[in-house]
Amino acid sequence: MKKITLYGIPNCDTVKKARVWLAGQQQDFVFHDFKKQGLSREIVAGWLEHLPRDVLVNKKGTTWRGLPDERKAAIVDDDSAIALMLEFPSVIKRPVLDKDGTFAVSFSDAQYKQIFDL
């Protein structure tokens, strides 16, 4: 059985678009609200096995821009990136899609069509 998990926060516009797309394609998925449900070190470390930290850490967002420069400069490896994402989940580029161990970040119609072979 296929397992699809979409990680994000419900009020994010990009997450909303991904959820609408998945529902419109009759994809059975679980939505994991990482602000309410939290994230574990294991989940984030698992993402980093498949995705570069520069993709997961949203350096264009307000959370990143609000960090002190020394904190930004301290993100030098996966461990420091994991600690940052667990402390500030809003710094994660959203949504993160896990489809049977295939991972993608953000959303576009073309990207999801390719992932779902449509």
Side-chain angles (χ1 to χ4, degrees):
M1 185 167 131
K2 293 180 182 179
K3 182 169 188 219
I4 302 167
T5 304
L6 189 72
Y7 296 89
I9 56 177
N11 61 339
C12 171
D13 287 340
T14 309
V15 171
K16 287 178 188 174
K17 289 175 189 173
R19 291 175 78 180
V20 166
W21 190 94
L22 289 167
Q25 300 298 320
Q26 288 84 43
Q27 296 293 329
D28 187 23
F29 70 98
V30 173
F31 178 67
H32 183 104
D33 179 344
F34 55 62
K35 286 264 183 119
K36 289 185 180 171
Q37 295 170 268
L39 285 172
S40 68
R41 181 172 188 81
E42 292 74 27
I43 289 172
V44 178
W47 294 345
L48 286 167
E49 290 176 15
H50 303 277
L51 299 162
R53 67 180 168 267
D54 290 342
V55 170
L56 280 168
V57 176
N58 183 4
K59 294 184 177 180
K60 294 180 181 177
T62 57
T63 302
W64 176 264
R65 290 193 312 260
L67 293 173
D69 288 341
E70 58 272 7
R71 185 66 194 270
K72 293 177 192 174
I75 309 305
V76 295
D77 58 18
D78 286 355
D79 282 339
S80 57
I82 290 169
L84 178 73
M85 289 186 271
L86 292 175
E87 184 178 352
F88 300 103
S90 294
V91 79
I92 300 168
K93 187 167 177 84
R94 304 174 295 268
V96 177
L97 174 73
D98 175 359
K99 178 186 176 268
D100 299 318
T102 298
F103 293 83
V105 176
S106 194
F107 169 78
S108 76
D109 183 67
Q111 173 194 32
Y112 274 41
K113 281 181 179 173
Q114 183 178 17
I115 292 166
F116 288 90
D117 295 321
L118 298 174

